[in-house]
Amino acid sequence: MTFKSVCLTSVLALTAGQALAETNFNRISSFATPRNNADTAAESAAEIIAASDDGLTLVYTDSPLGAIGMIDITDPAKPQPKGTVDMDAEPTSVTVIGNTAFVAVNTSQSYTAPSGKLVSVDLADGTVTGSCDLGGQPDSAAHTDAGDLVAVAIENERDEDLGDGRVGQMPAGYMVTIAVADEALDCDSLVQIDLTGLTEIAPEDPEPEFVDINGLGEIAVTLQENNAIVVLNADGSVLSQFSAGAVDLNGIDATDERAALIFTESQPGRLREPDGLQWIDDDHFMLANEGDMDGGSRSITVFHKDGTLVWESGAGFETPIIQAGHYPDRRSDAKGVEPEGMEIATFGDVTYAFILSERASTVSVYDVSDPANPVFTQLLPSGISPEGAIAIPSRGLLATANEVDLGEDGGVRAHVMLYELQNAPAAYPQLTSAGAEELIGWGAISGMVAADDGMIYAVNDSFYGYQPRIFTIDPAQQPARIIAATEITRAGRPAQKLDLEGITTDGEGGFWVASEGRSDRLTPHAIYRLNSAGEITQEIAIPPALAAVEKRFGFEGITQVGNTLWLAVQREWGDDAKGFVKLVAYNIETEKWGAVLYPLDPVDTGWIGLSEIVAHGDHVYLVERDNQIGDAAKIKQITRVALSEMQPAPLDGELKVVTKEVVRDLIPDLAANAGYVVDKVEGLAIAADGTVFVSTDNDGVDDSSGETFFWTVGKF
């Protein structure tokens, strides 16, 4: 598939869905796993997830807690905690038959003495109803459609600190099957299935990873480190075994140190090394090629169970993720977006594959009704690092389990997220570069400005320090489209030492941009003038009176009123009283500096500051926000100050305190996305007709879900 055909495929899928108002999956709620815990501050996670047969209860493994968590989704828009069940060790997987969860639990004392058990739990009351010794360290588990058998992959994983982290470490892994009758385990029926001697890489150490069972009772399992798949008959005999092969990747970003998104590199012969596997039908299964030791093809693949390659996405799997701003640049040299887990299920007459990207924090949805021709349909936002998914077709639902918990660092907690198949347009992405003439990667959107041509222009911040850009956004399209990216240059090369946080037009076809400085990284607080081609034509350093009191948290927006540039300083500098920040003025003609003081709302937790400033009509409008996330977020708002009050005093004099008016609380807007309230509202643009556009900064998908929200709040 050529690069242009990949882009065209994704944009056609996107626009077709809107034009035909076809059904789409949309997120309807999220559940923070600490809600289930007695100690809400304790580290928690949601990893592998399953559902009761009636679709009313979700159950997920929580490795940090050594427990499984349960969620009541009788009302999926308002999930409720149902508590946890202690597993006395590390749960690795869960599968559900009827109303009983079968939990694979790792009880290993060491890599050389692995052990584990399969535990059955009644989801009605959390009672442990049975336990079978597995003899080794389990990874994934699956059950037959009839509910009469559970298969468990006994990985006996290697110690990555020994032998250069290579496979070939004993004891070897294997498969286990255990019969189930009336949701009860029959431990005496346990069969151990030998998988050694079947592969070329390390035949003595198969390390089975992910298992799934088709309607015929045939068991397919990935041997990730061996880059192989084994298909077993229901009796445990080998039906087929074959290499997962390799992919020639072209048009990818394979370098992470440049802090730039450049999709011109190649990786020939990249081993697939699949992790997740799911049957599409009784003859075909799909792989998520995460990679481990030597590979990771960033792709998804369909094989026939006899080993015939049926379909391969190649680098095209990453394309919609890139276009939605979710590409994790810091993983460019280490498996890219990292497709890992998946779920395949039929809703009505359409069979969907839901592919989880661990590093991009997305769910890629494909129509796989024809296994030889999967069609990308949409991209869903997820929490940070989705690990597991479960579909509930009877209720039109999908749930994802997202494992990263950043609570210790004041960040977002681990979440389970719920989606519903709706007769409605796709709610996400809200900003995309799909349809552009070239593949445009983007992220960390910061300042914005609306121009007379109807476009919105936005800049990225220092996360992409080797690729500062101005993005041209067409807000008239749905979703809004990035149609071009202009490189910001100095002497013909990408400009360095910039942290762009604000942009405004200069009235002559160019722009003024504000850069937030950081002295410890030799990045100056400064104003730059750019021509229409993005070349820096003028650099304006801050005056000594500001430099003497400067702090890291500097300019976070810029706007022009007549001959004056106004800049919002994010937080208090050295000479500011607590709770007051400067709005700095620079007169383009006289080159004089001045300022007024802006009063911040008080906060009990974290800090509060400014993120943007925009002049419109008789006021300047500002974004004021705290640095909190999720339920802890209290202040994300648009305020305004009358221009008549914006009378700057000399920087070394007494500064006037302006009066602010809150005109929009943004927390309900952010909560309406049915995830958690994100931290960084950074962009504000007001069109000539008063239409107000707001955007969020996704931190370059670094300790972030990567979600960028771009929306309008009406007119001011």
Side-chain angles (χ1 to χ4, degrees):
M1 183 179 288
T2 66
F3 161 71
K4 285 192 174 180
S5 69
V6 169
C7 292
L8 182 60
T9 299
S10 60
V11 71
L12 286 178
L14 189 98
T15 55
Q18 295 160 353
L20 299 175
E22 63 184 25
T23 56
N24 288 282
F25 290 91
N26 286 317
R27 186 168 57 192
I28 58 171
S29 65
S30 63
F31 178 91
T33 58
R35 291 181 61 193
N36 251 335
N37 308 338
D39 179 5
T40 58
E43 183 183 0
S44 182
E47 295 157 312
I48 304 303
I49 191 167
S52 59
D53 275 3
D54 61 12
L56 299 180
T57 301
L58 295 174
V59 56
Y60 60 88
T61 59
D62 189 330
S63 177
L65 284 185
I68 57 169
M70 298 179 293
I71 307 172
D72 181 347
I73 57 167
T74 302
D75 180 354
K78 297 179 180 179
Q80 299 299 316
K82 200 173 176 179
T84 61
V85 181
D86 188 7
M87 292 288 105
D88 296 320
E90 178 198 12
T92 62
S93 186
V94 61
T95 190
V96 174
I97 299 171
N99 201 46
T100 299
F102 295 85
V103 188
V105 182
N106 175 20
T107 60
S108 302
Q109 298 300 307
S110 68
Y111 290 106
T112 55
S115 63
K117 58 185 177 180
L118 185 65
V119 178
S120 57
V121 179
D122 187 334
L123 293 178
D125 57 13
T127 302
V128 173
T129 59
S131 178
C132 298
D133 183 1
L134 296 172
Q137 171 255 317
D139 193 330
S140 70
H143 70 270
T144 57
D145 290 348
D148 59 0
L149 184 113
V150 173
V152 185
I154 306 300
E155 183 177 13
N156 289 346
E157 63 185 353
R158 71 195 190 280
D159 183 347
E160 295 186 22
D161 294 327
L162 292 179
D164 296 324
R166 311 300 299 179
V167 283
Q169 299 180 25
M170 297 296 101
Y174 49 89
M175 287 295 302
V176 159
T177 62
I178 302 176
V180 176
D182 297 324
E183 302 181 24
L185 287 167
D186 178 4
C187 297
D188 292 337
S189 70
L190 186 148
V191 175
Q192 182 172 317
I193 304 169
D194 182 16
L195 299 177
T196 61
L198 299 177
T199 64
E200 295 181 0
I201 294 175
E204 76 283 9
D205 185 18
E207 285 202 28
E209 190 91 15
F210 202 97
V211 61
D212 196 33
I213 306 175
N214 67 10
L216 302 175
E218 296 166 341
I219 303 167
V221 59
T222 57
L223 311 184
Q224 186 173 22
E225 291 78 11
N226 280 270
N227 193 40
I229 299 98
V230 176
V231 182
L232 304 169
N233 290 305
D235 62 4
S237 61
V238 175
L239 175 64
S240 63
Q241 59 84 21
F242 49 91
S243 169
V247 180
D248 291 333
L249 291 173
N250 297 299
I252 64 169
D253 186 342
T255 309
D256 71 341
E257 69 269 17
R258 293 181 304 197
L261 300 173
I262 304 173
F263 301 100
T264 59
E265 296 177 293
S266 300
Q267 287 181 337
R270 189 75 169 173
L271 298 182
R272 290 188 172 94
E273 292 186 347
D275 186 345
L277 173 152
Q278 287 266 297
W279 289 94
I280 298 173
D281 55 29
D282 287 341
D283 293 315
H284 303 87
F285 52 78
M286 179 173 274
L287 304 175
N289 302 314
E290 178 198 26
D292 195 336
M293 298 188 309
D294 303 308
S297 61
R298 311 174 180 220
S299 69
I300 54 177
T301 311
V302 177
F303 274 102
H304 190 279
K305 64 185 178 184
D306 65 6
T308 302
L309 176 64
V310 174
W311 179 83
E312 165 64 41
S313 72
F317 175 76
E318 288 191 332
T319 299
I321 295 171
I322 294 165
Q323 292 168 331
H326 278 261
Y327 183 78
D329 183 53
R330 289 183 177 173
R331 300 293 300 183
S332 288
D333 67 340
K335 301 176 286 187
V337 300
E338 237 173 282
E340 181 177 6
M342 70 168 66
E343 169 76 333
I344 295 179
T346 300
F347 290 72
D349 59 357
V350 179
T351 300
Y352 292 100
F354 306 94
I355 316 299
L356 310 179
S357 170
E358 181 180 11
R359 301 300 177 176
S361 295
T362 57
V363 183
S364 297
V365 184
Y366 284 76
D367 180 342
V368 293
S369 300
D370 178 359
N373 294 286
V375 177
F376 171 77
T377 62
Q378 65 178 125
L379 190 76
L380 300 175
S382 194
I384 303 177
S385 293
E387 181 78 7
I390 186 68
I392 310 174
S394 63
R395 302 189 67 197
L397 299 175
L398 170 74
T400 63
N402 305 278
E403 66 176 331
V404 169
D405 186 340
L406 299 175
E408 186 176 336
D409 300 319
V412 69
R413 307 305 301 271
H415 277 74
V416 168
M417 294 190 170
L418 282 146
Y419 311 80
E420 183 178 60
L421 185 60
Q422 302 175 339
N423 291 314
Y428 196 87
Q430 297 176 8
L431 180 64
T432 177
S433 64
E437 292 185 1
E438 61 179 346
L439 181 60
I440 299 175
W442 60 275
I445 292 294
S446 186
M448 299 197 305
V449 64
D452 293 338
D453 59 3
M455 298 294 108
I456 290 175
Y457 295 89
V459 289
N460 56 5
D461 67 21
S462 60
F463 190 90
Y464 301 105
Y466 287 87
Q467 195 182 47
R469 283 176 157 184
I470 300 172
F471 298 100
T472 304
I473 300 171
D474 181 356
Q477 299 190 56
Q478 188 63 33
R481 299 296 178 86
I482 295 174
I483 60 175
T486 301
E487 309 291 335
I488 297 176
T489 60
R490 183 190 283 117
R493 299 180 63 83
Q496 303 295 299
K497 297 301 179 182
L498 299 179
D499 183 4
L500 300 180
E501 298 287 352
I503 182 171
T504 193
T505 53
D506 69 356
E508 299 178 17
F511 303 93
W512 294 101
V513 294
S515 180
E516 181 178 26
R518 187 164 177 177
S519 297
D520 61 340
R521 296 181 180 176
L522 303 179
T523 300
H525 299 278
I527 303 169
Y528 299 89
R529 193 170 193 173
L530 315 176
N531 62 21
S532 60
E535 299 170 320
I536 294 177
T537 60
Q538 184 180 359
E539 303 187 23
I540 303 169
I542 61 174
L546 278 179
V549 295
E550 65 95 9
K551 292 283 186 71
R552 167 186 168 188
F553 302 98
F555 297 148
E556 282 279 330
I558 186 170
T559 193
Q560 185 168 351
V561 180
N563 292 322
T564 300
L565 296 174
W566 282 98
L567 301 104
V569 178
Q570 185 184 66
R571 292 168 62 183
E572 301 94 339
W573 277 20
D575 60 340
D576 294 325
K578 183 174 176 56
F580 295 89
V581 293
K582 292 183 180 71
L583 303 180
V584 174
Y586 175 76
N587 189 291
I588 299 167
E589 290 191 345
T590 66
E591 300 183 358
K592 290 184 177 180
W593 294 81
V596 296
L597 286 177
Y598 174 96
L600 297 168
D601 279 8
V603 292
D604 296 325
T605 304
W607 56 258
I608 188 167
L610 299 179
S611 285
E612 182 69 288
I613 183 170
V614 176
H616 177 72
D618 296 328
H619 296 81
V620 291
Y621 292 81
L622 303 106
V623 172
E624 182 179 352
R625 67 171 180 89
D626 59 21
N627 69 330
Q628 300 301 294
I629 196 166
D631 293 340
K634 303 302 179 187
I635 299 173
K636 318 284 184 188
Q637 61 192 19
I638 301 174
T639 67
R640 71 179 184 181
V641 175
L643 283 176
S644 60
E645 290 203 42
M646 302 285 283
Q647 303 298 323
L651 293 170
D652 56 0
E654 184 176 351
L655 303 182
K656 173 185 176 180
V657 178
V658 299
T659 303
K660 75 178 183 186
E661 174 190 2
V662 177
V663 294
R664 180 80 176 198
D665 180 2
L666 297 173
I667 287 183
D669 295 332
L670 295 167
N673 295 299
Y676 49 81
V677 174
V678 298
D679 174 11
K680 294 186 174 181
V681 182
E682 296 258 336
L684 182 68
I686 305 178
D689 67 354
T691 302
V692 181
F693 298 93
V694 187
S695 67
T696 61
D697 175 358
N698 73 355
D699 276 332
V701 204
D702 188 32
D703 283 343
S704 164
S705 69
E707 297 177 41
T708 296
F709 299 114
F710 180 98
W711 76 104
T712 178
V713 299
K715 294 185 178 182
F716 287 166

